[in-house]
Amino acid sequence: MDSPPDTPDVGIPPLQARRMSMAEQYEYLRARFTRRRALVTAGALAGGLLTGCSSSTGTANPATSRVPGSAVTPFGRHLAFGADPKTQMRVSWQVPFAVRKPYVRIGPTPGDLGRRVEAEVRPLHTPGVTGVRLDLDQYYVHAALDGLRPGTTYCYGVGHEGFDPASGAHRRTLGTFRTAPATGPASFVFTAFGDQGVTPDALANDKGILGRNPAFHLHAGDICYADVTGHGEKSDSYDPTAWDLFLKQTETVARSVPWMVTTGNHDMEAWYSPNGYGGQSARWSLPDNGFDARNTPGAYSFTYGNVGVVALDANDVSYEIPANLGHTDGRQTAWLDRRLAELRASDAVDFVVVFFHHCAYSTSTHGSDGGVRDAWVPLFDKHQVDLVINGHNHVYERSDALRGGRVGRRVPVGASTDPTRDGTVYVTAGGAGQSLYGFPYGVKDSFEGKVADRESVETYHWTKSRERHEDTVEWSRVRYTGYSYLSVEARAGVPGTAPRLTVSALAQSGERIDHFEVRRG
């Protein structure tokens, strides 16, 4: 959570804003900006100088664009699974101006794109701030591809009236994706990180991920940093054009790898909806099988092979940054309990992986969030979650196996653990590209090839009163302050061999800095 000086007044004095919930701020500002349209389910921001997007004084209407479709080139393609990765894919992209009749062409080869699926334009308007930015309009486009064949590679192209991806030079914009297999594969890889932004290091990590050929990627929040302050307040510093740069940067990998995101504190963009998620709903089409997809898009679940994955919105339970604390009235936690029970009851699921932004266990700059521990850690213990992935702290840190907050088993580099006996391993993977943090004074990095074990580390966790409670902890097993990402290989069990997850942390250079194995039974 970077905290630059207070920005110019945008309607609510900063000290007053800090005492208000995001919904209260929204109602306050809506009363003042009566000539603006309140966008609860918003769509797409204007791309600024680098994308040629429009600058205006009101909300744009996609149907009245005067720019010919032939002059508008799509960019920023990104994929996401639907609720069923075997048969559903969501294709999203951005256009610099409003377009007519957008669509996706899809087929088995570049020369056979006979199926055409209509797409939806979601226009998103960002009101200007005097002396800071002009009004901006951006346009995001989404298509739902259903009824796909499992385990199949598809070619696709995105277009609109005047731009046909299957014709002429536009064919170079075609991409491919692959649906999940009907039955679990013998093995597959997925990758994960959080706290990315738009930096050379973020781009380098994207290239590293692409080299792992993952079936999907998990992004644990703080996606773009258009909101650089991260308090979830109207007074936050905010630059919506950062999204244009981010989607261009990420397209190199997200055009072919489903990019499954959740919500961080920097993703609470308070301009767009009572809880600040209107911008996320505009830019991403995620599985709609959570407890409230309209208002909490970052909470959902999917199953790929023998791994059940659950995404959560940790802003709902965070004690550190309480702008959205309790905004689901406990419904997300109740849904989590039910969903974990369903996954554990499924014969097809060996492993359960949960990812969200705020750290349950970390010793770095933000420490640990007591709200996450109070609300969710007991459920992770109850349902024997195998792996929890967080961001928020811009480092790599990995715990031992924990149960009830205590070490159930030490898990040094290269070791194995069994969640049915030992507890859950928690990984902070926040080194995706933003400026790096560190560890408490005198605490050295400890990673593969450079192990510096410690019996204890002095750190803290956030309490409900937003105070830091000092802790001495024994679970900080691996620490690394460079840019990095996770690569996880899931293997199905065969006679005589238990299923396993092999979790590796890779530095930006590709060098392995940590690995361990999760086995069940």
Side-chain angles (χ1 to χ4, degrees):
M1 179 184 67
D2 306 313
S3 298
D6 287 332
T7 55
D9 178 37
V10 295
I12 306 178
L15 291 178
Q16 180 180 350
R18 290 174 186 270
R19 294 193 296 268
M20 299 170 70
S21 71
M22 192 171 292
E24 290 169 337
Q25 294 178 44
Y26 179 79
E27 292 303 321
Y28 182 102
L29 268 294
R30 186 171 65 173
R32 295 197 59 181
F33 289 91
T34 56
R35 290 176 296 175
R36 308 292 189 193
R37 183 166 64 128
L39 297 179
V40 176
T41 55
L45 294 166
L49 294 176
L50 292 177
T51 58
C53 293
S54 59
S55 176
S56 63
T57 57
T59 302
N61 182 347
T64 61
S65 172
R66 296 181 180 179
V67 178
S70 58
V72 179
T73 301
F75 69 97
R77 289 166 294 174
H78 49 287
L79 303 173
F81 291 132
D84 180 6
K86 297 188 293 296
T87 63
Q88 297 178 322
M89 190 69 73
R90 305 297 179 244
V91 181
S92 305
W93 66 99
Q94 188 174 355
V95 285
F97 299 97
V99 297
R100 291 174 56 84
K101 300 179 179 179
Y103 61 87
V104 170
R105 285 193 181 275
I106 183 173
T109 66
D112 183 5
L113 299 177
R115 182 180 173 188
R116 182 164 161 159
V117 179
E118 293 183 1
E120 168 198 8
V121 179
R122 301 178 191 167
L124 183 64
H125 178 73
T126 307
V129 177
T130 303
V132 178
R133 64 168 184 265
L134 298 174
D135 286 15
L136 289 172
D137 297 282
Q138 288 167 304
Y139 305 91
Y140 298 94
V141 192
H142 303 266
L145 306 184
D146 297 324
L148 303 176
R149 298 179 61 182
T152 302
T153 297
Y154 287 92
C155 184
Y156 76 96
V158 302
H160 50 262
E161 187 176 275
F163 184 100
D164 186 349
S167 66
H170 299 330
R171 290 170 65 92
R172 69 176 182 271
T173 67
L174 298 179
T176 61
F177 65 78
R178 186 169 179 81
T179 54
T183 58
S187 66
F188 66 93
V189 170
F190 67 90
T191 52
F193 60 40
D195 304 82
Q196 189 175 16
V198 184
T199 71
D201 295 296
L203 180 60
N205 266 353
D206 281 353
K207 291 179 178 178
I209 284 169
L210 192 59
R212 304 298 294 178
N213 192 29
F216 56 88
H217 176 72
L218 305 180
H219 196 309
D222 281 8
I223 303 168
C224 164
Y225 287 85
D227 181 335
V228 298
T229 312
H231 294 153
E233 299 169 353
K234 285 286 186 178
S235 56
D236 284 3
S237 300
Y238 185 63
D239 177 11
T241 63
W243 280 102
D244 309 321
L245 300 175
F246 175 82
L247 290 175
K248 283 185 173 181
Q249 167 189 273
T250 309
E251 184 175 21
T252 55
V253 56
R255 62 181 285 186
S256 59
V257 177
W259 206 254
M260 311 303 294
V261 305
T262 189
T263 314
N265 58 293
H266 285 272
D267 305 317
M268 293 187 289
E269 298 170 333
W271 291 101
Y272 305 121
S273 63
N275 59 15
Y277 299 154
Q280 187 177 41
S281 295
R283 301 179 183 101
W284 305 92
S285 284
L286 299 164
D288 58 1
N289 60 354
F291 68 98
D292 186 2
R294 178 182 176 89
N295 296 309
T296 313
Y300 57 88
S301 178
F302 65 92
T303 298
Y304 190 105
N306 64 340
V307 177
V309 179
V310 180
L312 297 173
D313 169 23
N315 295 313
D316 181 34
V317 299
S318 172
Y319 289 164
E320 179 195 6
I321 304 170
N324 270 350
L325 178 62
H327 81 92
T328 73
D329 293 324
R331 290 179 298 141
Q332 179 176 211
T333 299
W335 170 78
L336 172 64
D337 193 10
R338 295 193 304 271
R339 186 61 185 137
L340 292 178
E342 291 167 355
L343 290 171
R344 274 286 164 247
S346 172
D347 292 337
V349 173
D350 291 319
F351 299 104
V352 175
V353 175
V354 180
F355 74 109
F356 52 91
H357 186 63
H358 301 68
C359 297
Y361 295 97
S362 179
T363 65
S364 188
T365 302
H366 288 291
S368 306
D369 201 306
V372 170
R373 292 185 181 182
D374 289 349
W376 294 343
V377 166
L379 298 182
F380 301 156
D381 289 344
K382 173 183 175 182
H383 298 288
Q384 299 177 353
V385 168
D386 299 282
L387 179 66
V388 172
I389 299 171
N390 302 139
H392 201 40
N393 281 308
H394 302 179
V395 294
Y396 176 82
E397 186 172 19
R398 198 253 298 163
S399 76
D400 289 320
L402 303 179
R403 187 179 299 281
R406 298 181 178 276
V407 176
R409 181 183 180 90
R410 286 170 56 98
V411 186
V413 174
S416 294
T417 181
D418 182 344
T420 65
R421 176 193 65 219
D422 306 327
T424 301
V425 174
Y426 294 80
V427 174
T428 299
Q434 283 297 106
S435 56
L436 294 167
Y437 294 169
F439 293 99
Y441 179 76
V443 176
K444 296 180 179 179
D445 283 9
S446 179
F447 55 93
E448 185 169 358
K450 192 178 179 181
V451 174
D453 273 335
R454 291 179 64 96
E455 292 185 5
S456 64
V457 173
E458 301 296 323
T459 182
Y460 71 94
H461 70 269
W462 291 95
T463 67
K464 194 171 185 177
S465 58
R466 285 203 75 191
E467 296 177 342
R468 299 185 182 193
H469 184 279
E470 303 299 321
D471 296 321
T472 301
V473 303
E474 300 175 351
W475 40 255
S476 179
R477 188 54 49 207
V478 181
R479 298 174 298 277
Y480 178 75
T481 55
Y483 295 105
S484 60
Y485 60 92
L486 281 185
S487 178
V488 182
E489 182 182 21
R491 287 190 172 274
V494 297
T497 302
R500 64 185 185 273
L501 286 180
T502 301
V503 184
S504 300
L506 303 175
Q508 185 186 91
S509 64
E511 177 185 3
R512 193 175 66 183
I513 55 174
D514 185 26
H515 71 284
F516 65 97
E517 221 172 50
V518 180
R519 295 175 179 258
R520 295 190 68 87

